[in-house]
mmCIF file of all heavy atoms in Angstrom:
data_model
loop_
_atom_site.group_PDB
_atom_site.id
_atom_site.type_symbol
_atom_site.label_atom_id
_atom_site.label_comp_id
_atom_site.label_asym_id
_atom_site.label_seq_id
_atom_site.Cartn_x
_atom_site.Cartn_y
_atom_site.Cartn_z
ATOM 1 N N VAL A 156 -32.383 168.658 39.991
ATOM 2 C CA VAL A 156 -31.632 169.593 40.826
ATOM 3 C C VAL A 156 -30.153 169.362 40.662
ATOM 4 O O VAL A 156 -29.649 168.287 40.996
ATOM 5 C CB VAL A 156 -32.038 169.449 42.307
ATOM 6 C CG1 VAL A 156 -31.223 170.426 43.177
ATOM 7 C CG2 VAL A 156 -33.531 169.676 42.491
ATOM 8 N N TYR A 157 -29.435 170.349 40.156
ATOM 9 C CA TYR A 157 -27.986 170.240 40.042
ATOM 10 C C TYR A 157 -27.377 170.668 41.352
ATOM 11 O O TYR A 157 -27.845 171.620 41.992
ATOM 12 C CB TYR A 157 -27.493 171.129 38.919
ATOM 13 C CG TYR A 157 -27.679 170.506 37.532
ATOM 14 C CD1 TYR A 157 -28.899 170.525 36.901
ATOM 15 C CD2 TYR A 157 -26.623 169.900 36.873
ATOM 16 C CE1 TYR A 157 -29.091 169.956 35.669
ATOM 17 C CE2 TYR A 157 -26.769 169.318 35.624
ATOM 18 C CZ TYR A 157 -28.020 169.342 35.025
ATOM 19 O OH TYR A 157 -28.200 168.782 33.820
ATOM 20 N N MET A 158 -26.304 169.974 41.746
ATOM 21 C CA MET A 158 -25.702 170.185 43.042
ATOM 22 C C MET A 158 -24.183 170.137 42.924
ATOM 23 O O MET A 158 -23.656 169.426 42.102
ATOM 24 C CB MET A 158 -26.186 169.124 44.048
ATOM 25 C CG MET A 158 -27.646 168.776 43.964
ATOM 26 S SD MET A 158 -28.100 167.391 45.036
ATOM 27 C CE MET A 158 -28.530 168.249 46.519
ATOM 28 N N SER A 159 -23.498 170.907 43.796
ATOM 29 C CA SER A 159 -22.027 170.830 43.857
ATOM 30 C C SER A 159 -21.601 171.175 45.258
ATOM 31 O O SER A 159 -22.360 171.796 46.036
ATOM 32 C CB SER A 159 -21.402 171.775 42.833
ATOM 33 O OG SER A 159 -21.747 173.107 43.092
ATOM 34 N N TRP A 160 -20.333 170.858 45.560
ATOM 35 C CA TRP A 160 -19.786 171.193 46.863
ATOM 36 C C TRP A 160 -19.272 172.616 46.813
ATOM 37 O O TRP A 160 -18.217 172.889 46.282
ATOM 38 C CB TRP A 160 -18.657 170.208 47.263
ATOM 39 C CG TRP A 160 -18.248 170.431 48.673
ATOM 40 C CD1 TRP A 160 -17.188 171.198 49.108
ATOM 41 C CD2 TRP A 160 -18.903 169.941 49.837
ATOM 42 N NE1 TRP A 160 -17.155 171.178 50.480
ATOM 43 C CE2 TRP A 160 -18.191 170.431 50.961
ATOM 44 C CE3 TRP A 160 -20.043 169.118 50.042
ATOM 45 C CZ2 TRP A 160 -18.552 170.111 52.273
ATOM 46 C CZ3 TRP A 160 -20.403 168.827 51.338
ATOM 47 C CH2 TRP A 160 -19.665 169.312 52.437
ATOM 48 N N SER A 161 -20.055 173.543 47.375
ATOM 49 C CA SER A 161 -19.875 174.990 47.270
ATOM 50 C C SER A 161 -20.265 175.429 45.895
ATOM 51 O O SER A 161 -20.278 174.630 44.942
ATOM 52 C CB SER A 161 -18.459 175.447 47.672
ATOM 53 O OG SER A 161 -17.631 175.513 46.551
ATOM 54 N N ASN A 162 -20.516 176.747 45.739
ATOM 55 C CA ASN A 162 -20.949 177.227 44.437
ATOM 56 C C ASN A 162 -19.747 177.676 43.579
ATOM 57 O O ASN A 162 -19.937 178.271 42.546
ATOM 58 C CB ASN A 162 -21.942 178.401 44.575
ATOM 59 C CG ASN A 162 -21.356 179.633 45.221
ATOM 60 O OD1 ASN A 162 -20.150 179.667 45.513
ATOM 61 N ND2 ASN A 162 -22.167 180.638 45.482
ATOM 62 N N SER A 163 -18.519 177.373 44.028
ATOM 63 C CA SER A 163 -17.341 177.778 43.249
ATOM 64 C C SER A 163 -17.323 177.059 41.892
ATOM 65 O O SER A 163 -16.925 177.680 40.897
ATOM 66 C CB SER A 163 -16.062 177.501 44.035
ATOM 67 O OG SER A 163 -15.955 176.132 44.341
ATOM 68 N N ASP A 164 -17.768 175.804 41.822
ATOM 69 C CA ASP A 164 -17.829 175.088 40.545
ATOM 70 C C ASP A 164 -18.811 175.761 39.608
ATOM 71 O O ASP A 164 -18.542 175.911 38.413
ATOM 72 C CB ASP A 164 -18.192 173.629 40.753
ATOM 73 C CG ASP A 164 -17.062 172.846 41.386
ATOM 74 O OD1 ASP A 164 -16.834 172.957 42.599
ATOM 75 O OD2 ASP A 164 -16.398 172.058 40.650
ATOM 76 N N LEU A 165 -19.972 176.127 40.138
ATOM 77 C CA LEU A 165 -20.981 176.785 39.319
ATOM 78 C C LEU A 165 -20.467 178.173 38.889
ATOM 79 O O LEU A 165 -20.721 178.600 37.734
ATOM 80 C CB LEU A 165 -22.288 176.940 40.107
ATOM 81 C CG LEU A 165 -23.502 177.450 39.303
ATOM 82 C CD1 LEU A 165 -23.825 176.487 38.183
ATOM 83 C CD2 LEU A 165 -24.682 177.680 40.216
ATOM 84 N N PHE A 166 -19.750 178.841 39.757
ATOM 85 C CA PHE A 166 -19.177 180.161 39.413
ATOM 86 C C PHE A 166 -18.209 180.030 38.265
ATOM 87 O O PHE A 166 -18.275 180.793 37.281
ATOM 88 C CB PHE A 166 -18.484 180.734 40.629
ATOM 89 C CG PHE A 166 -17.802 182.048 40.421
ATOM 90 C CD1 PHE A 166 -18.492 183.246 40.478
ATOM 91 C CD2 PHE A 166 -16.430 182.089 40.162
ATOM 92 C CE1 PHE A 166 -17.896 184.471 40.249
ATOM 93 C CE2 PHE A 166 -15.806 183.325 39.953
ATOM 94 C CZ PHE A 166 -16.523 184.494 39.992
ATOM 95 N N VAL A 167 -17.306 179.053 38.327
ATOM 96 C CA VAL A 167 -16.317 178.842 37.261
ATOM 97 C C VAL A 167 -17.021 178.400 35.973
ATOM 98 O O VAL A 167 -16.652 178.855 34.877
ATOM 99 C CB VAL A 167 -15.277 177.798 37.685
ATOM 100 C CG1 VAL A 167 -14.371 177.407 36.511
ATOM 101 C CG2 VAL A 167 -14.420 178.342 38.813
ATOM 102 N N MET A 168 -18.057 177.553 36.097
ATOM 103 C CA MET A 168 -18.816 177.159 34.917
ATOM 104 C C MET A 168 -19.434 178.377 34.240
ATOM 105 O O MET A 168 -19.358 178.546 33.004
ATOM 106 C CB MET A 168 -19.931 176.167 35.294
ATOM 107 C CG MET A 168 -20.707 175.622 34.090
ATOM 108 S SD MET A 168 -22.233 174.733 34.541
ATOM 109 C CE MET A 168 -21.532 173.322 35.428
ATOM 110 N N THR A 169 -20.037 179.239 35.022
ATOM 111 C CA THR A 169 -20.680 180.458 34.479
ATOM 112 C C THR A 169 -19.647 181.350 33.812
ATOM 113 O O THR A 169 -19.885 181.915 32.741
ATOM 114 C CB THR A 169 -21.432 181.208 35.616
ATOM 115 O OG1 THR A 169 -22.345 180.317 36.249
ATOM 116 C CG2 THR A 169 -22.193 182.364 35.046
ATOM 117 N N GLN A 170 -18.474 181.503 34.451
ATOM 118 C CA GLN A 170 -17.401 182.299 33.854
ATOM 119 C C GLN A 170 -16.977 181.726 32.504
ATOM 120 O O GLN A 170 -16.756 182.470 31.534
ATOM 121 C CB GLN A 170 -16.179 182.331 34.761
ATOM 122 C CG GLN A 170 -16.303 183.310 35.934
ATOM 123 C CD GLN A 170 -14.977 183.421 36.698
ATOM 124 O OE1 GLN A 170 -14.295 182.414 36.907
ATOM 125 N NE2 GLN A 170 -14.620 184.618 37.081
ATOM 126 N N ASN A 171 -16.851 180.383 32.445
ATOM 127 C CA ASN A 171 -16.427 179.751 31.198
ATOM 128 C C ASN A 171 -17.476 179.874 30.120
ATOM 129 O O ASN A 171 -17.166 180.111 28.946
ATOM 130 C CB ASN A 171 -16.108 178.280 31.457
ATOM 131 C CG ASN A 171 -14.718 178.051 31.977
ATOM 132 O OD1 ASN A 171 -13.903 177.339 31.399
ATOM 133 N ND2 ASN A 171 -14.396 178.625 33.131
ATOM 134 N N PHE A 172 -18.752 179.785 30.482
ATOM 135 C CA PHE A 172 -19.831 179.974 29.521
ATOM 136 C C PHE A 172 -19.784 181.398 28.970
ATOM 137 O O PHE A 172 -20.008 181.622 27.777
ATOM 138 C CB PHE A 172 -21.204 179.656 30.117
ATOM 139 C CG PHE A 172 -21.695 178.282 29.838
ATOM 140 C CD1 PHE A 172 -21.267 177.208 30.621
ATOM 141 C CD2 PHE A 172 -22.516 178.027 28.783
ATOM 142 C CE1 PHE A 172 -21.701 175.917 30.378
ATOM 143 C CE2 PHE A 172 -22.957 176.741 28.480
ATOM 144 C CZ PHE A 172 -22.556 175.680 29.284
ATOM 145 N N THR A 173 -19.554 182.362 29.838
ATOM 146 C CA THR A 173 -19.457 183.744 29.386
ATOM 147 C C THR A 173 -18.297 183.916 28.397
ATOM 148 O O THR A 173 -18.440 184.607 27.383
ATOM 149 C CB THR A 173 -19.231 184.682 30.597
ATOM 150 O OG1 THR A 173 -20.294 184.527 31.540
ATOM 151 C CG2 THR A 173 -19.170 186.164 30.170
ATOM 152 N N GLN A 174 -17.178 183.265 28.679
ATOM 153 C CA GLN A 174 -16.030 183.343 27.793
ATOM 154 C C GLN A 174 -16.273 182.717 26.429
ATOM 155 O O GLN A 174 -15.885 183.241 25.375
ATOM 156 C CB GLN A 174 -14.824 182.683 28.448
ATOM 157 C CG GLN A 174 -13.500 182.998 27.815
ATOM 158 C CD GLN A 174 -13.125 184.464 27.978
ATOM 159 O OE1 GLN A 174 -13.040 184.955 29.113
ATOM 160 N NE2 GLN A 174 -12.869 185.144 26.900
ATOM 161 N N HIS A 175 -17.018 181.596 26.445
ATOM 162 C CA HIS A 175 -17.246 180.842 25.182
ATOM 163 C C HIS A 175 -18.463 181.315 24.408
ATOM 164 O O HIS A 175 -18.475 181.220 23.177
ATOM 165 C CB HIS A 175 -17.407 179.355 25.517
ATOM 166 C CG HIS A 175 -16.136 178.652 25.790
ATOM 167 N ND1 HIS A 175 -15.330 178.086 24.786
ATOM 168 C CD2 HIS A 175 -15.470 178.389 26.946
ATOM 169 C CE1 HIS A 175 -14.262 177.510 25.329
ATOM 170 N NE2 HIS A 175 -14.319 177.719 26.635
ATOM 171 N N THR A 176 -19.491 181.812 25.118
ATOM 172 C CA THR A 176 -20.749 182.137 24.430
ATOM 173 C C THR A 176 -21.125 183.610 24.555
ATOM 174 O O THR A 176 -22.049 184.063 23.834
ATOM 175 C CB THR A 176 -21.887 181.284 24.980
ATOM 176 O OG1 THR A 176 -22.190 181.711 26.311
ATOM 177 C CG2 THR A 176 -21.549 179.811 24.966
ATOM 178 N N GLY A 177 -20.516 184.326 25.471
ATOM 179 C CA GLY A 177 -20.899 185.735 25.681
ATOM 180 C C GLY A 177 -22.057 185.881 26.613
ATOM 181 O O GLY A 177 -22.517 186.997 26.880
ATOM 182 N N SER A 178 -22.609 184.776 27.134
ATOM 183 C CA SER A 178 -23.736 184.826 28.053
ATOM 184 C C SER A 178 -23.383 184.131 29.344
ATOM 185 O O SER A 178 -22.780 183.068 29.382
ATOM 186 C CB SER A 178 -24.965 184.144 27.419
ATOM 187 O OG SER A 178 -26.021 184.032 28.361
ATOM 188 N N ALA A 179 -23.829 184.757 30.467
ATOM 189 C CA ALA A 179 -23.551 184.174 31.770
ATOM 190 C C ALA A 179 -24.538 183.047 32.134
ATOM 191 O O ALA A 179 -24.268 182.288 33.035
ATOM 192 C CB ALA A 179 -23.624 185.259 32.865
ATOM 193 N N ARG A 180 -25.620 182.960 31.406
ATOM 194 C CA ARG A 180 -26.632 181.977 31.784
ATOM 195 C C ARG A 180 -26.299 180.593 31.300
ATOM 196 O O ARG A 180 -25.876 180.372 30.142
ATOM 197 C CB ARG A 180 -28.011 182.416 31.178
ATOM 198 C CG ARG A 180 -29.132 181.471 31.631
ATOM 199 C CD ARG A 180 -30.484 182.065 31.404
ATOM 200 N NE ARG A 180 -31.526 181.187 31.883
ATOM 201 C CZ ARG A 180 -32.803 181.488 31.929
ATOM 202 N NH1 ARG A 180 -33.197 182.706 31.537
ATOM 203 N NH2 ARG A 180 -33.705 180.659 32.367
ATOM 204 N N VAL A 181 -26.479 179.603 32.203
ATOM 205 C CA VAL A 181 -26.306 178.180 31.862
ATOM 206 C C VAL A 181 -27.709 177.629 31.773
ATOM 207 O O VAL A 181 -28.329 177.256 32.742
ATOM 208 C CB VAL A 181 -25.467 177.454 32.919
ATOM 209 C CG1 VAL A 181 -25.230 176.032 32.537
ATOM 210 C CG2 VAL A 181 -24.131 178.187 33.158
ATOM 211 N N ASP A 182 -28.234 177.554 30.531
ATOM 212 C CA ASP A 182 -29.676 177.322 30.353
ATOM 213 C C ASP A 182 -30.159 175.974 30.861
ATOM 214 O O ASP A 182 -31.306 175.827 31.263
ATOM 215 C CB ASP A 182 -30.004 177.429 28.830
ATOM 216 C CG ASP A 182 -30.003 178.882 28.355
ATOM 217 O OD1 ASP A 182 -30.328 179.749 29.174
ATOM 218 O OD2 ASP A 182 -29.664 179.114 27.194
ATOM 219 N N PHE A 183 -29.299 174.954 30.854
ATOM 220 C CA PHE A 183 -29.796 173.620 31.206
ATOM 221 C C PHE A 183 -29.960 173.429 32.723
ATOM 222 O O PHE A 183 -30.553 172.479 33.162
ATOM 223 C CB PHE A 183 -28.914 172.514 30.597
ATOM 224 C CG PHE A 183 -27.521 172.483 31.108
ATOM 225 C CD1 PHE A 183 -27.178 171.759 32.246
ATOM 226 C CD2 PHE A 183 -26.514 173.155 30.438
ATOM 227 C CE1 PHE A 183 -25.868 171.708 32.697
ATOM 228 C CE2 PHE A 183 -25.182 173.116 30.913
ATOM 229 C CZ PHE A 183 -24.873 172.420 32.030
ATOM 230 N N ILE A 184 -29.375 174.321 33.508
ATOM 231 C CA ILE A 184 -29.524 174.232 34.979
ATOM 232 C C ILE A 184 -30.715 175.095 35.397
ATOM 233 O O ILE A 184 -30.656 176.317 35.353
ATOM 234 C CB ILE A 184 -28.248 174.676 35.696
ATOM 235 C CG1 ILE A 184 -27.091 173.763 35.357
ATOM 236 C CG2 ILE A 184 -28.468 174.686 37.210
ATOM 237 C CD1 ILE A 184 -25.776 174.064 36.052
ATOM 238 N N LYS A 185 -31.774 174.443 35.771
ATOM 239 C CA LYS A 185 -33.009 175.147 36.224
ATOM 240 C C LYS A 185 -33.107 175.267 37.729
ATOM 241 O O LYS A 185 -33.737 176.184 38.249
ATOM 242 C CB LYS A 185 -34.248 174.381 35.709
ATOM 243 C CG LYS A 185 -34.232 174.024 34.231
ATOM 244 C CD LYS A 185 -34.247 175.262 33.342
ATOM 245 C CE LYS A 185 -34.329 174.862 31.888
ATOM 246 N NZ LYS A 185 -34.266 176.050 30.991
ATOM 247 N N ASN A 186 -32.483 174.323 38.444
ATOM 248 C CA ASN A 186 -32.521 174.317 39.918
ATOM 249 C C ASN A 186 -31.142 173.991 40.411
ATOM 250 O O ASN A 186 -30.461 173.106 39.895
ATOM 251 C CB ASN A 186 -33.515 173.277 40.430
ATOM 252 C CG ASN A 186 -34.892 173.408 39.790
ATOM 253 O OD1 ASN A 186 -35.648 174.302 40.093
ATOM 254 N ND2 ASN A 186 -35.191 172.495 38.853
ATOM 255 N N TYR A 187 -30.726 174.642 41.499
ATOM 256 C CA TYR A 187 -29.365 174.427 41.992
ATOM 257 C C TYR A 187 -29.379 174.420 43.536
ATOM 258 O O TYR A 187 -30.076 175.193 44.195
ATOM 259 C CB TYR A 187 -28.396 175.527 41.506
ATOM 260 C CG TYR A 187 -27.050 175.396 42.152
ATOM 261 C CD1 TYR A 187 -26.145 174.415 41.753
ATOM 262 C CD2 TYR A 187 -26.669 176.248 43.179
ATOM 263 C CE1 TYR A 187 -24.929 174.280 42.352
ATOM 264 C CE2 TYR A 187 -25.431 176.142 43.784
ATOM 265 C CZ TYR A 187 -24.576 175.139 43.365
ATOM 266 O OH TYR A 187 -23.323 175.010 43.956
ATOM 267 N N CYS A 188 -28.516 173.564 44.096
ATOM 268 C CA CYS A 188 -28.339 173.467 45.555
ATOM 269 C C CYS A 188 -26.865 173.381 45.867
ATOM 270 O O CYS A 188 -26.131 172.584 45.288
ATOM 271 C CB CYS A 188 -29.075 172.256 46.117
ATOM 272 S SG CYS A 188 -28.828 171.994 47.897
ATOM 273 N N ASP A 189 -26.438 174.204 46.824
ATOM 274 C CA ASP A 189 -25.035 174.168 47.307
ATOM 275 C C ASP A 189 -25.000 173.128 48.451
ATOM 276 O O ASP A 189 -25.470 173.373 49.565
ATOM 277 C CB ASP A 189 -24.672 175.564 47.840
ATOM 278 C CG ASP A 189 -23.237 175.640 48.344
ATOM 279 O OD1 ASP A 189 -22.662 174.584 48.643
ATOM 280 O OD2 ASP A 189 -22.742 176.769 48.484
ATOM 281 N N VAL A 190 -24.412 171.961 48.185
ATOM 282 C CA VAL A 190 -24.380 170.870 49.151
ATOM 283 C C VAL A 190 -23.509 171.227 50.362
ATOM 284 O O VAL A 190 -23.784 170.809 51.458
ATOM 285 C CB VAL A 190 -23.883 169.547 48.496
ATOM 286 C CG1 VAL A 190 -23.924 168.417 49.507
ATOM 287 C CG2 VAL A 190 -24.755 169.193 47.297
ATOM 288 N N GLN A 191 -22.470 172.021 50.121
ATOM 289 C CA GLN A 191 -21.634 172.449 51.234
ATOM 290 C C GLN A 191 -22.436 173.215 52.267
ATOM 291 O O GLN A 191 -22.389 172.943 53.474
ATOM 292 C CB GLN A 191 -20.463 173.280 50.739
ATOM 293 C CG GLN A 191 -19.520 173.738 51.850
ATOM 294 C CD GLN A 191 -18.540 174.762 51.385
ATOM 295 O OE1 GLN A 191 -18.929 175.812 50.864
ATOM 296 N NE2 GLN A 191 -17.253 174.501 51.504
ATOM 297 N N LYS A 192 -23.197 174.197 51.795
ATOM 298 C CA LYS A 192 -23.995 175.000 52.703
ATOM 299 C C LYS A 192 -25.032 174.147 53.425
ATOM 300 O O LYS A 192 -25.273 174.337 54.630
ATOM 301 C CB LYS A 192 -24.653 176.138 51.888
ATOM 302 C CG LYS A 192 -25.370 177.151 52.773
ATOM 303 C CD LYS A 192 -25.934 178.283 51.907
ATOM 304 C CE LYS A 192 -24.841 179.137 51.286
ATOM 305 N NZ LYS A 192 -25.398 180.320 50.558
ATOM 306 N N TYR A 193 -25.655 173.237 52.676
ATOM 307 C CA TYR A 193 -26.665 172.364 53.283
ATOM 308 C C TYR A 193 -26.019 171.472 54.365
ATOM 309 O O TYR A 193 -26.519 171.401 55.502
ATOM 310 C CB TYR A 193 -27.292 171.489 52.209
ATOM 311 C CG TYR A 193 -28.197 170.387 52.744
ATOM 312 C CD1 TYR A 193 -29.475 170.685 53.217
ATOM 313 C CD2 TYR A 193 -27.748 169.078 52.814
ATOM 314 C CE1 TYR A 193 -30.299 169.684 53.740
ATOM 315 C CE2 TYR A 193 -28.580 168.064 53.296
ATOM 316 C CZ TYR A 193 -29.820 168.380 53.775
ATOM 317 O OH TYR A 193 -30.642 167.378 54.275
ATOM 318 N N CYS A 194 -24.905 170.810 54.060
ATOM 319 C CA CYS A 194 -24.281 169.911 55.024
ATOM 320 C C CYS A 194 -23.755 170.679 56.243
ATOM 321 O O CYS A 194 -23.814 170.159 57.360
ATOM 322 C CB CYS A 194 -23.138 169.163 54.331
ATOM 323 S SG CYS A 194 -23.679 167.839 53.200
ATOM 324 N N MET A 195 -23.273 171.889 56.032
ATOM 325 C CA MET A 195 -22.758 172.667 57.156
ATOM 326 C C MET A 195 -23.836 172.988 58.159
ATOM 327 O O MET A 195 -23.532 173.232 59.342
ATOM 328 C CB MET A 195 -22.080 173.936 56.643
ATOM 329 C CG MET A 195 -20.708 173.719 56.061
ATOM 330 S SD MET A 195 -19.910 175.269 55.561
ATOM 331 C CE MET A 195 -19.753 176.136 57.114
ATOM 332 N N SER A 196 -25.094 173.014 57.745
ATOM 333 C CA SER A 196 -26.188 173.271 58.696
ATOM 334 C C SER A 196 -26.361 172.144 59.728
ATOM 335 O O SER A 196 -27.058 172.325 60.716
ATOM 336 C CB SER A 196 -27.506 173.523 57.924
ATOM 337 O OG SER A 196 -27.986 172.301 57.348
ATOM 338 N N PHE A 197 -25.722 171.010 59.476
ATOM 339 C CA PHE A 197 -25.786 169.860 60.380
ATOM 340 C C PHE A 197 -24.558 169.720 61.240
ATOM 341 O O PHE A 197 -24.476 168.871 62.109
ATOM 342 C CB PHE A 197 -25.981 168.583 59.586
ATOM 343 C CG PHE A 197 -27.328 168.446 58.908
ATOM 344 C CD1 PHE A 197 -27.508 168.928 57.619
ATOM 345 C CD2 PHE A 197 -28.398 167.869 59.553
ATOM 346 C CE1 PHE A 197 -28.737 168.833 56.982
ATOM 347 C CE2 PHE A 197 -29.638 167.785 58.954
ATOM 348 C CZ PHE A 197 -29.833 168.260 57.658
ATOM 349 N N ILE A 198 -23.551 170.577 60.990
ATOM 350 C CA ILE A 198 -22.294 170.488 61.755
ATOM 351 C C ILE A 198 -22.429 171.289 63.077
ATOM 352 O O ILE A 198 -22.865 172.432 63.069
ATOM 353 C CB ILE A 198 -21.094 171.030 60.912
ATOM 354 C CG1 ILE A 198 -20.894 170.114 59.709
ATOM 355 C CG2 ILE A 198 -19.861 171.092 61.776
ATOM 356 C CD1 ILE A 198 -19.805 170.630 58.761
#
């Protein structure tokens, strides 16, 4: 499970992959969790 603080990092990664490969898909990430959203549920 790949994780990041908010999905902005994943968004920028996807944009960069589109720029470099022409495809929005990041094939090696099969599962993703936004840790910011998860942690905020406890605040």
Side-chain angles (χ1 to χ4, degrees):
V156 178
Y157 281 79
M158 318 174 90
S159 63
W160 189 263
S161 91
N162 65 5
S163 59
D164 288 76
L165 188 62
F166 178 82
V167 171
M168 184 192 295
T169 306
Q170 282 187 319
N171 277 239
F172 263 84
T173 302
Q174 194 67 56
H175 282 272
T176 69
S178 172
R180 183 164 183 174
V181 183
D182 287 329
F183 64 89
I184 297 182
K185 310 295 184 184
N186 309 286
Y187 173 75
C188 176
D189 181 342
V190 182
Q191 181 192 56
K192 187 176 293 186
Y193 171 77
C194 286
M195 283 183 62
S196 70
F197 292 90
I198 295 176

